[in-house]
Amino acid sequence: MKGSEQMRGPKKVKLGEIAEIINGIADYPQHEKNHMESPVTYNYIQPKHLGDFNDIIATSKIAKPAPVASSCLVRKNDILLKRLNSDVVALIEEELSDTIVSNNLFVIRVSQKFFPAYIACFLETHSLAGLNFNVVGSLSAIKSISAKALALLDIP
């Protein structure tokens, strides 16, 4: 390495260049659930199912009118990130069968050239402070992150 290359520090990439950022799936209103002819049932992870130690403490069941795209199913090494008040990052360490996530979560699917555990640790320890959050809510401030802002995050 040349001296000038050493002075610049580690090369950074945008999260959107090394990972697919997938929005979760919305639940249906109860009146629509009652009219499903042949629903497909999935395990459903919501923000309340993520524990204090960034683990999944529970799942619920959700019925969908048709199968979801296979890309929407949670896979081993996926990273789950809360969309609102993004203080929890969970790395999926084992296969979860027929599991989808709420639209209040992002699934970050890192390309095979990078280590999902590193990305999860980076997201957790850097608290996403440098991102542009939208503040929502009328009585209290709730920070909301967009997929676009997340994709622009610099990863060393």
Side-chain angles (χ1 to χ4, degrees), residues 54-125:
N54 298 344
D55 54 344
I56 298 169
I57 55 174
T59 61
S60 55
K61 297 286 185 186
I62 186 171
K64 303 304 277 178
V68 299
S70 63
S71 63
C72 294
L73 295 173
V74 176
R75 302 175 188 167
K76 181 178 180 179
N77 291 322
D78 280 351
I79 300 165
L80 304 184
L81 176 68
K82 288 172 54 177
R83 181 184 299 270
L84 303 174
N85 291 333
S86 305
D87 59 347
V88 174
V89 177
L91 175 64
I92 304 299
E93 296 179 347
E94 58 190 44
E95 292 296 332
L96 301 174
S97 63
D98 299 324
T99 302
I100 59 177
V101 300
S102 155
N103 61 338
N104 289 320
L105 294 168
F106 287 114
V107 175
I108 301 170
R109 190 163 292 147
V110 179
S111 93
Q112 293 181 352
K113 295 178 184 177
F114 295 87
F115 294 104
Y118 170 76
I119 304 301
C121 182
F122 177 81
L123 291 172
E124 181 179 32
T125 57

Side-chain angles (χ1 to χ4, degrees), residues 10 32 36 58 65 71 81-82 101 104 119 127 134-135 142 148 151:
E32 289 184 27
M36 290 185 203
S71 63
L81 176 68
K82 288 172 54 177
V101 300
N104 289 320
I119 304 301
S127 71
N134 297 318
V135 178
I142 300 172
K148 184 177 180 179

